[in-house]
Amino acid sequence: MEHVERCAWFLRGTLVRAAVRRYLPWALVASMLAGSLLKELSPLPESYLSNKRNVLNVYFVKVAWGWTFCLLLPFIALTNYHLTGKAGLVLRRLSTLLVGTAIWYVCTVIFSSVEHYTGSCYQSPALEGLRKEHQNKQQCCMR
């Protein structure tokens, strides 16, 4: 625990400095652009992991919030109860997790509905020709 506290003290002292805070957004933008450039210049070959139907993607990425929720729920409950000893505060923190989950679910449903009714069918990945209009995305995929 002492090692974590020393790391936190170092990071807090480093990130609070005005010079570091002033240039940190630029460093993040530069790292994002460098990563994008690296990806464009040397694309990765097709592999099992790049397939969207692989086991890792289907069972871990698709249900990421479920895994996160299952791990966060006991972590928040145990750490808050251990640090404060107040059950009311623990329930309050857990309720924020439930509210966040509800917001995530509603946003996901809205996004899926908008995509379902406004999606389009294209003949090629280059988006050259539009097929005939369909009522929803499922009809488009069936052709």
Side-chain angles (χ1 to χ4, degrees):
M1 192 66 174
E2 182 181 324
H3 180 65
V4 173
E5 289 176 7
R6 278 190 279 148
C7 289
W9 178 80
F10 172 75
L11 288 174
R12 194 176 309 125
T14 303
L15 295 176
V16 170
R17 293 188 189 125
V20 173
R21 282 195 339 227
R22 183 174 47 233
Y23 294 114
L24 190 59
W26 293 109
L28 294 174
V29 168
S31 66
M32 181 186 67
L33 291 174
S36 297
L37 184 64
L38 183 65
K39 166 84 170 75
E40 282 298 318
L41 294 178
S42 61
L44 297 173
E46 290 291 323
S47 70
Y48 175 73
L49 293 176
S50 66
N51 183 357
K52 71 178 189 175
R53 301 227 185 270
N54 74 50
V55 174
L56 292 175
N57 188 39
V58 171
Y59 292 110
F60 291 101
V61 175
K62 301 287 185 200
V63 291
W65 187 252
W67 288 100
T68 303
F69 188 79
C70 289
L71 294 173
L72 271 179
L73 190 71
F75 176 76
I76 290 173
L78 293 173
T79 55
N80 279 301
Y81 188 75
H82 177 71
L83 293 174
T84 64
K86 298 177 182 176
L89 185 62
V90 172
L91 291 175
R92 189 169 153 197
R93 295 291 178 226
L94 292 177
S95 69
T96 60
L97 183 61
L98 292 175
V99 168
T101 302
I103 291 171
W104 169 81
Y105 182 75
V106 167
C107 289
T108 303
V109 168
I110 290 171
F111 180 81
S112 295
S113 297
V114 168
E115 183 184 33
H116 175 74
Y117 289 110
T118 62
S120 299
C121 284
Y122 293 98
Q123 290 178 349
S124 70
L127 307 177
E128 291 173 1
L130 185 64
R131 290 188 189 173
K132 69 175 212 170
E133 291 292 325
H134 298 282
Q135 293 297 326
N136 56 38
K137 195 173 174 185
Q138 278 71 27
Q139 288 179 353
C140 172
C141 295
M142 292 173 75
R143 294 201 128 214

